[in-house]
């Protein structure tokens, strides 16, 4: 895993990033704060564990926000297509969308320790399908 990630200055003017603010309601700004922290903590393929507990403790352990706020924020980020959340063998993962496009020097990356998004007939990137599966898990 790289020691750092690039966050483009165009993130602030991104339509999807703005959509996270709007869709998040009371936690909209928190969604916007969380996204770059997620990007900086992913592996070389833009993947990491995607359950709220792990995300909280990896990317923002000093936060006083409850775990349910992290879960809501992750749902919002998936709804606006900044990330995908998915289940593999009962474990929740996330992947940053368009990760390769925004991160240079990925030619040196190793194999990911996290699984790829499983193919789902009809729409392999539909986060609502995965969210349904996530709710069934809880």
């Amino acid at each position: 895993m790289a020691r750092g990630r690039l966050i483009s200055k165009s993130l602030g003017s991104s339509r999807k990033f703005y959509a996270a603010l709007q869709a998040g309601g009371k936690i909209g700004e928190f969604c916007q704060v969380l996204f770059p922290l997620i990007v900086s903590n992913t592996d070389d393929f833009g993947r990491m564990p995607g359950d709220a507990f792990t995300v909280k403790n990896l990317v923002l352990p000093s936060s006083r926000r409850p775990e349910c706020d992290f879960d809501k924020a992750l749902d919002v980020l998936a709804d606006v297509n900044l990330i995908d959340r998915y289940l593999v063998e009962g474990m929740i993962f996330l992947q940053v969308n368009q990760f390769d496009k925004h991160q240079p020097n990925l030619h040196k990356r190793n194999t990911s320790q996290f699984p790829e998004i499983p193919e789902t007939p009809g729409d392999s990137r539909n986060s609502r399908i995965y969210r349904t599966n996530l709710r069934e898990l809880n």
Side-chain angles (χ1 to χ4, degrees):
M1 186 177 334
R3 292 182 51 160
R5 297 280 173 231
L6 293 178
I7 303 296
S8 173
K9 64 182 180 179
S10 65
L11 178 63
S13 60
S14 161
R15 290 182 188 272
K16 289 181 184 179
F17 194 66
Y18 178 72
L21 176 68
Q22 298 302 306
K26 291 181 180 180
I27 64 165
E29 285 184 335
F30 175 61
C31 296
Q32 289 185 318
V33 167
L34 188 60
F35 179 68
L37 294 171
I38 287 171
V39 171
S40 67
N41 281 277
T42 61
D43 70 2
D44 291 340
F45 294 81
R47 299 180 199 140
M48 66 180 288
D51 62 285
F53 175 84
T54 304
V55 170
K56 177 180 180 174
N57 287 291
L58 281 177
V59 307
L60 198 54
S62 62
S63 176
R64 294 183 181 185
R65 288 188 173 272
E67 194 176 310
C68 64
D69 281 0
F70 280 80
D71 199 43
K72 289 176 191 172
L74 291 168
D75 282 346
V76 168
L77 295 174
D79 285 344
V80 300
N81 205 28
L82 285 169
I83 66 170
D84 279 316
R85 291 176 85 191
Y86 55 99
L87 273 174
V88 174
E89 296 180 9
M91 296 181 67
I92 305 168
F93 300 95
L94 69 78
Q95 180 169 320
V96 175
N97 291 329
Q98 298 184 3
F99 183 79
D100 292 3
K101 178 180 174 183
H102 298 287
Q103 299 300 315
N105 299 320
L106 293 176
H107 61 279
K108 298 178 183 178
R109 61 185 171 184
N110 296 317
T111 305
S112 180
Q113 63 179 332
F114 306 110
E116 291 184 37
I117 296 173
E119 291 296 320
T120 302
D123 188 2
S124 63
R125 297 283 184 180
N126 187 340
S127 62
R128 287 183 184 89
I129 292 170
Y130 299 114
R131 185 152 332 106
T132 300
N133 291 339
L134 294 175
R135 286 192 182 117
E136 290 171 4
L137 183 67
N138 292 330

